[in-house]
């Protein structure tokens, strides 16, 4: 007679091993909690008497340490067992969110206290993300990697959508403090799941020459691949202007011309639904030219900014957001598959940290400059400029030969070695929001 665990293993695809299953379950738990907690932290600031500027300060306090510590987190995750880094980061997030919840529930939280706790959360995420992406990529082998990444991202995005909806409802019923407490508990559950990850298949790390040497080695790995660094440079700007359009201009356009927060929430939900639909598509579709297809799918990412510039009626804007969500998810899965295929396993976290650093580093600057840009050029011109930057930079990346030539390898090609393309002349790894990632999401 078989046990329930045996039945589960029998139903599970061959490529979905124990580590992949644990990572996916943990990501669902944290995304259910974190998306609601992002809303709860903003309402906690507002309910304590703060204004929009104070909400921005708490958000900046979370983002700045994330940017500052990402590279160190990547180097550390390639020196230590990645699951230990992930569990430690989850523990820090559990404690910081628990303290934030207690502060809100028991008294009169001060702005500096909320900023300090948000900064601790950002620090935990900086160490977690590179370790998580490296661990996820090393948990999958064979030609089903793209399907595995698509299913992982589908689960993550679905949990995020559900978490945001549930969090919003709970804030209205029981208040933001309890939603923050739920997020703390979610980090506890996720950390417990990640503690059971098996790293026996990963070769022991060779002793290095120190953190600076590791960072330098990761930089050489990063800068030595034109397809890698050019796309990261592209998304440094693309993500920055997209987030500025969505986080700053979008609510203003909705307030002034679309009917308020309700229609804007519908548009954001359409984008989230698009990412889930894109992940479903990538479960079945395995494009041969990974980065060519992925980069072509970045062009529709300009649609939301263009739709807000017009502005389109809410139905048209929701369609634009949905299409952009589908297309950017096609890019995201293709990007993760390319990293999995091309980057040596022992350097995955360092390369991922440079990738993430480039992809989010300009977001605080872009959001800070959104207001002055609107004052100088007008809101519509600023939004058209954002859309134009996305289109122009994406076209420029297509001019890079390695972006057009990099192809998905079969198992036979991986064993035989690359067949001439400079972008493929590296050793394949033996086997990603990442929670909270933006846009490129890989």
């Amino acid at each position: 007679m078989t046990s329930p665990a045996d039945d589960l293993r029998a139903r599970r695809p061959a490529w979905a091993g124990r580590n992949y299953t644990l990572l996916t379950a943990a990501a669902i738990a944290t995304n259910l909690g974190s998306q609601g907690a992002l809303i709860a932290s903003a309402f906690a600031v507002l309910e304590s008497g703060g204004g929009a500027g104070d909400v921005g300060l708490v958000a900046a306090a979370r983002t700045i340490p994330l940017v500052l510590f990402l590279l160190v987190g990547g180097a550390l995750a390639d020196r230590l067992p990645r699951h230990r880094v992930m569990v430690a980061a989850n523990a820090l997030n559990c404690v910081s969110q628990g303290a934030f919840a207690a502060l809100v529930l028991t008294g009169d939280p001060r702005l500096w206290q909320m900023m300090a706790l948000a900064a601790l959360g950002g620090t935990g995420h900086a160490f977690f993300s590179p370790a998580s992406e490296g661990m996820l990529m090393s948990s999958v082998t064979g030609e089903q990697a793209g399907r595995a990444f698509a299913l992982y991202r589908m689960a993550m995005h679905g949990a995020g959508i559900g978490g945001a909806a549930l969090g919003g409802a709970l804030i209205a019923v029981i208040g933001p403090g309890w939603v923050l407490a739920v997020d703390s508990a979610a980090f506890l559950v996720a950390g417990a799941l990640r503690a059971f990850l098996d790293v026996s298949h990963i070769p022991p790390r060779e002793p290095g020459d120190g953190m600076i040497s590791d960072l330098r080695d990761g930089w050489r790995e990063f800068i030595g691949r034109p397809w890698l660094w050019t796309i990261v440079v592209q998304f440094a700007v693309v993500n920055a202007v997209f987030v500025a359009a969505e986080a700053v201009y979008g609510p203003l356009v909705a307030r002034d011309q679309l009917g308020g927060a309700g229609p804007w929430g519908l548009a954001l939900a359409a984008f989230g639904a698009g990412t889930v639909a894109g992940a479903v598509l990538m479960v079945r579709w395995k494009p041969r030219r990974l980065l060519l297809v992925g980069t072509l799918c970045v062009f529709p990412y300009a649609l939301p900014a263009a739709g807000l510039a017009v502005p389109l009626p809410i139905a048209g804007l929701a369609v634009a957001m949905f299409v952009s969500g589908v297309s950017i998810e096609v890019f995201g899965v293709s990007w993760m598959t390319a990293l999995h295929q091309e980057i040596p396993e022992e350097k995955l976290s360092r390369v991922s940290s440079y990738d993430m650093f480039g992809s989010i580093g300009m977001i605080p600057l872009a959001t800070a400059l959104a207001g002055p840009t609107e004052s100088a050029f007008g809101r519509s011109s600023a939004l058209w400029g954002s859309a134009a930057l996305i289109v122009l930079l994406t076209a420029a990346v297509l001019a890079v030969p390695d972006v057009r030539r990099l192809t998905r390898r079969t198992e036979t090609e991986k064993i035989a070695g690359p067949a001439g393309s400079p972008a493929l002349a590296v050793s394949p790894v033996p086997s990603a929001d990442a929670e909270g990632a933006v846009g490129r999401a890989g």
Side-chain angles (χ1 to χ4, degrees):
M1 184 173 179
T2 60
S3 67
D6 291 331
D7 292 338
L8 176 61
R9 281 192 290 269
R11 291 195 299 269
R12 204 165 56 193
W15 46 264
R18 169 181 168 174
N19 280 1
Y20 177 85
T21 304
L22 287 171
L23 288 166
T24 303
I28 290 172
T30 48
N31 274 271
L32 278 170
S34 295
Q35 294 304 310
L38 287 174
I39 304 170
S41 64
F43 275 89
V45 175
L46 295 173
E47 289 184 7
S48 69
D54 296 322
V55 173
L57 286 174
V58 173
R62 183 183 298 108
T63 304
I64 290 171
L66 172 60
V67 174
L68 290 178
F69 292 114
L70 258 177
L71 299 183
V72 176
L76 191 68
D78 279 340
R79 292 175 71 88
L80 301 176
R82 291 185 182 121
H83 70 308
R84 293 183 183 174
V85 177
M86 295 166 69
V87 171
N90 284 165
L92 177 59
N93 286 128
C94 175
V95 171
S96 64
Q97 289 296 75
F100 201 157
L103 195 68
V104 174
L105 289 170
T106 60
D108 181 22
R110 304 295 177 87
L111 179 62
W112 71 265
Q113 295 171 322
M114 292 186 284
M115 289 177 65
L117 291 170
L120 284 177
T123 301
H125 191 61
F127 285 89
F128 171 84
S129 292
S132 173
E133 189 149 339
M135 194 72 208
L136 175 63
M137 291 186 185
S138 69
S139 72
V140 179
T141 60
E143 296 181 33
Q144 299 300 323
R147 174 174 293 181
F149 297 147
L151 284 169
Y152 176 87
R153 292 167 66 92
M154 181 169 61
M156 189 175 67
H157 291 314
I161 295 170
L166 180 62
L170 288 176
I171 289 168
V173 175
I174 59 177
W178 289 108
V179 175
L180 291 167
V182 169
D183 188 39
S184 175
F187 277 115
L188 179 64
V189 171
L193 290 171
R194 287 161 177 149
F196 289 99
L197 291 168
D198 180 10
V199 295
S200 61
H201 66 289
I202 300 176
R205 309 300 187 201
E206 294 294 329
D209 296 325
M211 187 72 69
I212 299 299
S213 177
D214 285 352
L215 287 170
R216 191 182 300 118
D217 191 32
W219 174 253
R220 285 194 295 265
E221 195 74 32
F222 173 79
I223 204 66
R225 292 173 167 79
W227 62 268
L228 177 56
W229 67 261
T230 53
I231 288 178
V232 171
V233 169
Q234 171 201 14
F235 269 88
V237 179
V238 166
N239 279 337
V241 298
F242 182 88
V243 171
E246 181 184 75
V248 180
Y249 299 136
L252 295 174
V253 173
R255 181 195 65 188
D256 296 340
Q257 296 172 279
L258 298 178
W264 181 236
L266 176 63
L268 293 177
F271 179 81
T275 62
V276 174
V280 172
L281 171 64
M282 293 304 286
V283 170
R284 295 288 183 182
W285 186 30
K286 297 197 293 185
R288 178 71 172 163
R289 292 190 179 271
L290 286 166
L291 294 184
L292 176 61
V293 170
T295 302
L296 287 172
C297 285
V298 180
F299 283 111
Y301 209 39
L303 289 175
L308 288 168
V310 174
L312 292 175
I314 189 59
L317 183 60
V319 171
M321 296 284 275
F322 179 84
V323 171
S324 67
V326 173
S327 64
I328 207 62
E329 193 62 18
V330 172
F331 172 84
V333 174
S334 299
W335 179 250
M336 290 188 72
T337 306
L339 291 177
H340 172 268
Q341 174 178 289
E342 300 296 326
I343 306 300
E345 190 280 332
E346 70 276 7
K347 298 178 182 178
L348 275 171
S349 290
R350 275 168 287 175
V351 170
S352 294
S353 68
Y354 280 107
D355 172 19
M356 294 176 194
F357 180 83
S359 297
I360 68 173
M362 290 183 64
I363 289 176
L365 177 63
T367 53
L369 291 177
T373 302
E374 180 185 16
S375 299
F377 302 104
R379 188 186 301 163
S380 181
S381 295
L383 284 162
W384 280 120
S386 298
L389 278 172
I390 293 172
V391 171
L392 291 173
L393 286 169
T394 303
V397 165
L398 287 174
V400 178
D402 289 348
V403 171
R404 300 193 306 271
R405 294 201 303 253
L406 193 146
T407 57
R408 184 190 304 269
R409 293 187 221 161
T410 65
E411 285 301 300
T412 302
E413 289 170 332
K414 290 178 183 179
I415 295 170
S421 171
L424 300 180
V426 295
S427 300
V429 295
S431 55
D433 223 60
E435 298 154 340
V438 180
R440 171 209 50 77

